[in-house]
Amino acid sequence: MVSKRVEGICPSLTLEITAKAKKMKAEGISVIGFGAGEPDFNTPDYINDAAKKAIDIGFTKYTPASGTVELKKAVCDKFLKDNNLVYKPEQIVISSGAKSSIYHALAALINEGDQVILPTPFWLTYPELIKLCGGEVVYIHAGEESGYKITAQQLDNAINDKTKCLILNTPNNPTGAVYSEEEIREIAKVCEKHGIYVLSDEIYEKLVYADEKHFSIASCSDYMKEHTVIVNGMSKTYAMTGWRIGYIAAPTDIAKAVSSMQSHTTSNACSIAQYASTEALTSPEGDKFIGEMQQIFDQRRKFMVDYLKNIKGIVCVEPKGAFYVFVNVSSYYGKSYDGKVINGSLSFAENALKLGVAVIPGIAFGDDDCIRLSYAISIEDIKEGLERLDKFITSLK
Ligand SMILES: Cc1ncc(COP(=O)(O)O)c(C=O)c1O
């Protein structure tokens, strides 16, 4: 029998729909997948070349558990350049992907029974990892009326003696919401007032649009820097999802705890991927690649939002970051497709799949009114997929 700790962990709904769509494709059925959680760009050549070099020079052995000195220094330089934050290498821990960083950071922060505040909609991994670490999830809802962002007042109301930390994810998966500097400063004031920590997931930092700027809560004050664990990584910024490199910047005691825990779980992240990541972060080619990718995502984002706004009954808040659009389709609930009543985001997604379009049900992110559409696919596929979605919606009775 599996342990109590693991018993309550939900399997990923995202993967379920994606698996169904894959199976249909394998059977020769045309499916447009709006489920992608990774950039559809290749890892740039200069990064691939660095990995090849790492192999050629025999950089293929264990590294320190917390990462190579070179990569940690490159990460410190990134924080100074992008976020005006000064970190020492001993405050940085490199992990096998940001997901692993989050798990280890939560394990270092949470005691059994501690509460962790999680704004909804949320990236589906957070609640499961909080539970796995013995924490209790406290959800606060941010609907479309507030642009899917929580207010400082909501946070203030949710905090009690058991609250240990807040998870803040900006730019946000699944909504694409980006908190402004002003909004973050208000939230920081509440955290400071109550003495709680923040786990700030900034993995989509570079993917912001329409004059939005990413702002890290750690840069609000010395206090916040001492009470924030920033999570970031290579996956989304450099199209390196398969390389599995994530990192944290944290107060020294937390970084030390994460490093020592990691030394017994995964040990160091892949040496070759670390070597390539150092090159990714330090070469001037990086900014060029990110700029080009960002521009293409922005074109698709605009196209998608314009199209969706013309579909009757859909409510779509314009996303300002990441590569997702979160769409409210609840006005169609109660209608039927092929004799089957659509009663929530899961049955909406299951039935839309019959017309060859795969979307992720919002219930996976804690919001059953919505579906998530990713624009990490070609503009041609976006167009075709939206036409199918429109056709599906029009055929509802
Ligand atoms: C908000 C968020 N944080 C973290 C991650 C994990 O990234 P990694 O590939 O580095 O594990 C993802 C991946 O989808 C994400 O959406």
Side-chain angles (χ1 to χ4, degrees):
M1 209 165 106
V2 298
S3 71
K4 284 229 154 32
R5 199 179 310 109
V6 171
E7 213 174 40
I9 306 295
C10 307
S12 165
L13 269 174
T14 328
L15 296 181
E16 227 171 89
I17 291 280
T18 317
K20 262 192 200 163
K22 263 195 186 147
K23 189 166 168 274
M24 284 170 70
K25 275 187 192 168
E27 287 163 0
I29 304 165
S30 157
V31 179
I32 303 288
F34 280 120
E38 59 185 348
D40 55 321
F41 297 86
N42 291 331
T43 307
D45 284 344
Y46 81 96
I47 301 174
N48 296 333
D49 290 342
K52 289 174 198 161
K53 186 174 164 201
I55 295 171
D56 288 342
I57 63 173
F59 197 75
T60 52
K61 305 281 167 62
Y62 289 137
T63 76
S66 61
T68 64
V69 176
E70 292 78 12
L71 182 51
K72 287 199 267 183
K73 278 189 179 152
V75 168
C76 288
D77 291 347
K78 172 241 136 13
F79 278 115
L80 184 61
K81 181 174 139 227
D82 295 341
N83 314 99
N84 200 24
L85 283 165
V86 179
Y87 284 107
K88 297 191 196 96
E90 58 265 34
Q91 294 180 280
I92 308 296
V93 182
I94 313 295
S95 303
S96 304
K99 207 178 253 190
S100 171
S101 305
I102 296 167
Y103 174 52
H104 288 108
L106 288 174
L109 277 171
I110 303 174
N111 282 313
E112 201 71 31
D114 280 350
Q115 292 187 351
V116 177
I117 297 179
L118 183 60
T120 312
F122 48 76
W123 180 47
L124 71 183
T125 290
Y126 302 132
E128 307 314 315
L129 290 185
I130 294 166
K131 286 185 263 171
L132 202 55
C133 293
E136 185 191 331
V137 192
V138 175
Y139 299 95
I140 34 181
H141 185 70
E144 62 213 27
E145 65 291 343
S146 62
Y148 296 116
K149 293 186 265 190
I150 59 157
T151 62
Q153 189 58 54
Q154 272 182 297
L155 177 63
D156 199 38
N157 295 344
I159 295 175
N160 62 49
D161 291 350
K162 285 175 148 185
T163 311
K164 183 68 188 271
C165 85
L166 160 73
I167 294 192
L168 192 64
N169 171 217
T170 177
N172 186 273
N173 176 9
T175 65
V178 178
Y179 285 76
S180 69
E181 177 175 341
E182 202 185 343
E183 288 162 342
I184 285 184
R185 286 195 183 278
E186 289 304 309
I187 287 172
K189 271 187 216 159
V190 176
C191 297
E192 207 164 326
K193 178 173 120 189
H194 294 282
I196 65 164
Y197 280 85
V198 178
L199 187 143
S200 182
D201 184 343
E202 306 180 9
I203 195 144
Y204 293 98
E205 163 179 34
K206 296 286 182 178
L207 299 175
V208 286
Y209 319 101
D211 299 329
E212 283 301 321
K213 290 214 163 38
H214 170 74
F215 184 74
S216 174
I217 194 161
S219 56
C220 284
S221 62
D222 288 345
Y223 177 91
M224 281 319 299
K225 189 165 165 248
E226 277 306 304
H227 290 79
T228 299
V229 177
I230 301 180
V231 176
N232 208 323
M234 309 304 289
S235 288
K236 320 287 176 175
T237 310
Y238 296 95
M240 288 176 71
T241 44
W243 299 68
R244 312 308 304 132
I245 297 290
Y247 53 84
I248 60 161
T252 311
D253 58 336
I254 293 174
K256 231 175 160 176
V258 166
S259 164
S260 106
M261 195 187 156
Q262 190 169 281
S263 73
H264 296 294
T265 54
T266 57
S267 198
N268 66 268
C270 167
S271 64
I272 302 157
Q274 286 193 66
Y275 192 93
S277 298
T278 308
E279 185 62 19
L281 285 166
T282 52
S283 164
E285 301 254 346
D287 284 346
K288 193 169 148 263
F289 169 76
I290 295 164
E292 285 165 8
M293 179 168 69
Q294 193 264 7
Q295 243 183 2
I296 293 171
F297 274 140
D298 195 19
Q299 281 163 10
R300 296 172 182 172
R301 179 187 73 97
K302 285 183 193 141
F303 177 83
M304 204 149 171
V305 170
D306 287 348
Y307 197 111
L308 287 165
K309 280 193 173 152
N310 286 318
I311 303 182
K312 210 170 141 244
I314 270 187
V315 184
C316 161
V317 177
E318 184 183 338
K320 300 286 174 60
F323 40 71
Y324 310 104
V325 186
F326 207 53
V327 183
N328 189 324
V329 291
S330 62
S331 70
Y332 306 111
Y333 296 174
K335 295 193 173 193
S336 302
Y337 178 76
D338 219 5
K340 297 243 165 58
V341 181
I342 309 285
N343 56 12
S345 62
L346 192 56
S347 65
F348 185 97
E350 279 168 355
N351 283 288
L353 195 54
K354 292 179 189 159
L355 275 189
V357 57
V359 304
I360 306 293
I363 195 166
F365 312 105
D367 190 335
D368 200 25
D369 284 348
C370 297
I371 54 168
R372 190 192 76 177
L373 306 175
S374 159
Y375 47 90
I377 54 173
S378 73
I379 198 110
E380 292 77 24
D381 278 357
I382 292 175
K383 189 163 178 289
E384 173 67 28
L386 290 177
E387 278 167 13
R388 291 182 190 187
L389 191 65
D390 200 0
K391 199 166 147 208
F392 169 67
I393 283 168
T394 320
S395 64
L396 295 175
K397 294 206 174 67

